[in-house]
């Protein structure tokens, strides 16, 4: 299983970006998929998650500005980020809890990070 994240970049404060995370490989089901971020000198923190049933959750710091969504046919999840602030600057990591077979329990997978920089 591989997770391929894309969509990071440099944006001005108040701007928008959309991150994508595509899962590929031997996948039976994706239980939960989400985004974490890690700023320099800080611990990695949860940003947003979406379950297989479409239930979403967000960190308080991004609620109302970020939206996580999914395309099940493509095994892809998106993080639409609006009203970006300098404090959103971080490396964003995609995470997924995936089962590879009905009889095999899920395990966590991580994608390579994508840099998001919010600066004027």
């Amino acid at each position: 299983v591989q997770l391929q994240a894309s969509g990071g970049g440099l944006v001005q404060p108040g701007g928008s970006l959309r991150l994508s995370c595509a899962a590929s490989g031997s996948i039976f089901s994706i239980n939960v998929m989400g985004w974490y971020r890690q700023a320099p000198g800080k611990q990695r923190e949860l940003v947003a998650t979406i379950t297989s049933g479409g239930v979403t959750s967000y960190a308080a710091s991004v609620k109302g500005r970020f939206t996580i969504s999914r395309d099940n046919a493509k095994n892809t999840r998106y993080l639409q980020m609006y009203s970006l602030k300098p404090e959103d600057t971080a490396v964003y990591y995609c995470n997924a809890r995936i089962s590879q077979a009905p009889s095999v329990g899920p395990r966590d997978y991580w994608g390579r990070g994508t840099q998001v920089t919010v600066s004027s």
Side-chain angles (χ1 to χ4, degrees):
V1 174
Q2 288 188 330
L3 300 182
Q4 182 66 48
S6 61
L10 173 64
V11 64
Q12 292 187 342
S16 302
L17 277 176
R18 189 176 83 154
L19 306 183
S20 299
C21 179
S24 61
S26 179
I27 297 171
F28 172 70
S29 66
I30 299 176
N31 296 15
V32 180
M33 205 156 172
W35 293 92
Y36 290 70
R37 67 186 182 187
Q38 187 166 19
K42 294 189 177 181
Q43 290 188 333
R44 189 174 295 188
E45 63 173 357
L46 176 66
V47 177
T49 61
I50 185 165
T51 70
S52 57
V55 177
T56 58
S57 65
Y58 299 91
S61 59
V62 306
K63 210 167 188 178
R65 300 188 297 120
F66 291 10
T67 300
I68 189 169
S69 61
R70 60 183 181 162
D71 183 335
N72 287 335
K74 296 181 179 178
N75 282 337
T76 298
R77 305 298 182 260
Y78 305 96
L79 185 69
Q80 180 68 55
M81 304 183 291
Y82 298 103
S83 302
L84 282 161
K85 305 175 181 179
E87 50 263 44
D88 294 317
T89 296
V91 178
Y92 284 68
Y93 296 91
C94 177
N95 167 268
R97 182 158 294 175
I98 293 173
S99 295
Q100 292 191 278
S103 59
V104 178
R107 56 158 287 191
D108 283 337
Y109 294 86
W110 291 90
R112 289 187 178 183
T114 183
Q115 177 70 46
V116 172
T117 302
V118 185
S119 175
S120 55

